[in-house]
Amino acid sequence: MIHLIGAMLIVFASTATGLLLAKRYRDRPREIRQWRSALQSIEAEIVYGRIPVDQMAEDLALQMPLPLSNFFDTLHDQMIGERLPLQTAWSHSIEQYWPGTALKQPEKEIMIQFGTTLGTEDAENQRKHIQLALAHLEREEQEARQSQKANEKMIRSLGFLAGILIVLLFL
């Protein structure tokens, strides 16, 4: 009886691990779409709204879903509370935010690069930088979807099968 319970726990744990790893493949395209939506909102605010970036960050923190809202909340706090300049606050916020996401290094580099240009140029040049970042994110989203199709189901299955293999090896 104890062996059966132990075997079930091993299979359950390995299956849960497979599901957690597969979740990263499923979440990455969604999080990239959230960033694209946020950049489009930033573009609209820069071109039409002309509100300060700290106010824009506060508004986006309320509008965007998790985990992206955490980024804008951190950005707002660093600009207002710690009085950091925009580019410094942006890069610090990216560094704090990134470990809690399913996003990879290419998306991080795109967003860091975008942050270096934010607020440094006129509205028309700023719009061009946003469009460039959107194009890069669109390319990364397509790659993420292909990776999701290729790997998500396999990782889930491997988690379960690894548990079965471990149980069989101990029998």
Side-chain angles (χ1 to χ4, degrees), residues 28-44 60 64-65 68 72 90 97-98 103 107 110-111 114 130-145:
R28 184 173 172 228
R30 179 182 52 83
E31 290 179 18
I32 293 172
R33 279 191 306 276
Q34 289 175 358
W35 268 108
R36 290 179 60 207
S37 175
L39 287 179
Q40 290 168 343
S41 295
I42 290 171
E43 178 181 25
L60 287 172
M64 292 290 133
L68 189 55
F72 287 107
W90 184 275
Y97 160 79
W98 220 259
L103 299 171
E107 294 92 11
I110 292 167
M111 296 317 302
F114 171 74
I130 292 170
Q131 291 301 318
L132 180 64
L134 284 170
H136 287 306
L137 285 176
E138 183 176 353
R139 184 192 67 228
E140 291 300 325
E141 183 181 356
Q142 289 172 356
E143 186 272 320
R145 281 191 192 139

Side-chain angles (χ1 to χ4, degrees), residues 10-21:
I10 289 171
V11 171
F12 175 76
S14 66
T15 302
T17 301
L19 291 173
L20 286 174
L21 292 173

Side-chain angles (χ1 to χ4, degrees), residues 32-170:
I32 293 172
R33 279 191 306 276
Q34 289 175 358
W35 268 108
R36 290 179 60 207
S37 175
L39 287 179
Q40 290 168 343
S41 295
I42 290 171
E43 178 181 25
E45 290 297 338
I46 287 173
V47 174
Y48 304 110
R50 310 243 183 215
I51 63 172
V53 177
D54 59 332
Q55 179 63 43
M56 180 178 56
E58 184 177 27
D59 294 346
L60 287 172
L62 298 173
Q63 294 172 7
M64 292 290 133
L66 288 172
L68 189 55
S69 63
N70 291 339
F71 168 78
F72 287 107
D73 193 38
T74 303
L75 178 64
H76 178 261
D77 290 346
Q78 289 195 4
M79 290 177 65
I80 297 299
E82 297 181 29
R83 300 236 185 265
L84 293 176
L86 174 59
Q87 286 75 24
T88 306
W90 184 275
S91 63
H92 286 193
S93 298
I94 289 284
E95 293 301 329
Q96 288 179 5
Y97 160 79
W98 220 259
T101 70
L103 299 171
K104 294 188 176 181
Q105 191 65 27
E107 294 92 11
K108 183 178 181 180
E109 290 172 7
I110 292 167
M111 296 317 302
I112 288 174
Q113 180 65 33
F114 171 74
T116 61
T117 64
L118 188 60
T120 59
E121 299 181 16
D122 65 346
E124 190 55 38
N125 283 333
Q126 195 65 64
R127 181 182 222 171
K128 290 176 185 176
H129 286 292
I130 292 170
Q131 291 301 318
L132 180 64
L134 284 170
H136 287 306
L137 285 176
E138 183 176 353
R139 184 192 67 228
E140 291 300 325
E141 183 181 356
Q142 289 172 356
E143 186 272 320
R145 281 191 192 139
Q146 290 172 350
S147 180
Q148 177 187 10
K149 285 179 185 176
N151 297 318
E152 182 182 15
K153 187 175 181 181
M154 178 186 64
I155 297 293
R156 280 194 318 249
S157 299
L158 280 176
F160 174 73
L161 293 173
I164 297 294
L165 177 65
I166 291 169
V167 169
L168 290 175
L169 288 175
F170 284 121

